[in-house]
């Protein structure tokens, strides 16, 4: 049995995938522990040259190509099912990590035998893998401090026996792009030993290549449907924190950029007002949504920058992790 399964879902991002695989394969070689690590790549019928990129790493990875695009959710579940490691890491194909992150993860496994490790996307990068530590927190504290970034798959390294039992039930959430998140939440709920990395380990892609789905359906509805359906569903405080952070950190900025015409995301067309109604159609959210959707853009601009100040202050006061 392997110690770590690195599971990479990919679709139509061959250049990004090549960069990630090059880094990981080099890190595995440097670690001297290649027999303990497996790299699995599931190609969701990419129309680009992904097969030829994967062929460059033949012998170093396990690669398969779905005969048709089965959707991101089902592709994630397929990877989880194929993984044989004691721990599972699900890096996004367009993200990068430090050149010693793999050795850091292995050291955390060896010395802590954690259930759930969150790899930070912000912070210092001053220490090497031998001296970087991690903060131990409760599962509820991790959810509340990391909040919306618990949806970011590249940051999560999870004990496999907390993932595997949830694969079949996760299929009830297929189609909302958040089946994997339900698995993460269930694993976190059962985690007794949770860690947050001391320094930044992950560098998310910033080229705005995301798209091809209904933005509000996923980030204003599906993520909260899944949170409510999870074992954390009765935790009103965690739900409120997640809703507040998602609204100000993601939904409003993207709404603003879509209004400005400056966003390069290729989201499918939808009605923002309808998409925000379910979880943001009442309370303090209702007048803000009306302002963002109805105010002339020239007047919306100063309002939006004021909102950004509010977000920075509340994030600092609550000691959020990013």
């Amino acid at each position: 049995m392997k110690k770590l399964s690195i599971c990479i879902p990919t679709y139509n991002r061959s250049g990004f995938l090549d960069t990630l695989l090059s880094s990981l394969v080099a890190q595995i070689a440097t670690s001297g522990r290649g027999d303990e690590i497996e790299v699995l790549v599931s190609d969701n019928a990419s129309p680009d040259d992904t097969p030829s990129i994967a062929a460059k790493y033949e012998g170093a990875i396990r690669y398969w190509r779905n005969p048709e695009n089965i959707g991101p959710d089902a592709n994630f579940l397929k990877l989880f099912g194929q993984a044989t490691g004691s721990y599972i890491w699900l890096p996004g194909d367009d993200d990068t990590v430090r050149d010693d992150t793999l050795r850091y993860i292995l050291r955390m496994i060896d010395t802590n035998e954690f259930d759930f490790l969150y790899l930070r996307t912000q912070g210092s990068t001053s220490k090497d893998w031998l001296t970087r530590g991690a903060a131990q927190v409760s599962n509820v504290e991790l959810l509340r401090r990391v909040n919306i970034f618990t949806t970011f798959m590249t940051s999560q390294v999870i004990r496999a026996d907390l993932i595997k039992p949830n694969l079949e039930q996760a299929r009830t959430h297929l189609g909302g792009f958040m089946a994997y998140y339900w698995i993460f939440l269930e694993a976190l709920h059962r985690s007794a030993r949770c860690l947050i990395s001391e320094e930044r380990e992950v560098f998310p892609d910033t080229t705005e290549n995301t798209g091809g789905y209904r933005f509000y359906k996923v980030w204003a509805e599906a993520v909260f449907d899944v949170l409510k359906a999870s074992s954390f569903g009765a935790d009103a405080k965690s739900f409120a924190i997640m809703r507040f952070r998602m609204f100000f950190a993601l939904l409003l900025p993207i709404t603003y950029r879509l209004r400005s015409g400056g966003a390069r995301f290729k989201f499918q067309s939808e009605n923002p007002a309808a998409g925000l109604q379910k979880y943001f159609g009442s309370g303090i959210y209702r007048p803000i949504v009306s302002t963002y959707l109805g105010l002339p853009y020239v007047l919306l601009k100063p309002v939006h920058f004021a909102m950004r100040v509010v977000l920075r202050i509340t994030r600092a006061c609550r000691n959020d992790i990013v």
Side-chain angles (χ1 to χ4, degrees), residues 1-4 28 31-38:
M1 185 176 183
K2 301 291 186 181
K3 178 156 285 190
L4 177 65
I28 291 171
S31 74
R33 301 175 64 173
D35 59 336
E36 301 177 67
I37 306 164
E38 63 179 358

Side-chain angles (χ1 to χ4, degrees), residues 235-265:
D235 186 344
K237 182 175 180 180
S238 294
F239 190 89
I241 290 172
M242 178 75 77
R243 185 165 65 154
F244 181 92
R245 186 83 167 92
M246 184 71 77
F247 185 72
F248 286 100
L250 181 64
L251 297 174
L252 286 189
I254 294 298
T255 299
Y256 173 77
R257 295 175 70 181
L258 292 174
R259 286 273 333 257
S260 73
R264 296 190 294 274
F265 300 113

Side-chain angles (χ1 to χ4, degrees), residues 113-133:
E113 294 185 346
F114 59 83
D115 296 320
F116 199 107
L117 168 64
Y118 176 80
L119 304 172
R120 294 178 61 128
T121 60
Q122 296 289 332
S124 171
T125 55
S126 62
K127 298 180 180 179
D128 65 24
W129 67 279
L130 277 170
T131 58
R132 294 202 297 276

Side-chain angles (χ1 to χ4, degrees), residues 126-156:
S126 62
K127 298 180 180 179
D128 65 24
W129 67 279
L130 277 170
T131 58
R132 294 202 297 276
Q136 184 169 345
V137 296
S138 71
N139 54 356
V140 173
E141 184 180 0
L142 190 150
L143 177 62
R144 291 180 181 178
R145 291 182 63 192
V146 176
N147 50 77
I148 66 173
F149 290 97
T150 54
T151 66
F152 182 54
M153 64 189 194
T154 307
S155 284
Q156 331 293 328

Side-chain angles (χ1 to χ4, degrees), residues 9-10 42-44 64 66 70-79:
T10 192
S42 184
D43 177 4
N44 219 354
W64 63 84
N66 298 324
I70 60 175
D73 282 344
N75 204 30
F76 297 160
L77 299 189
K78 191 170 185 177
L79 280 160

Side-chain angles (χ1 to χ4, degrees), residues 16-36:
F16 291 106
L17 178 67
D18 193 11
T19 299
L20 178 62
L21 288 177
S22 177
S23 172
L24 291 175
V25 169
Q27 290 192 46
I28 291 171
T30 302
S31 74
R33 301 175 64 173
D35 59 336
E36 301 177 67

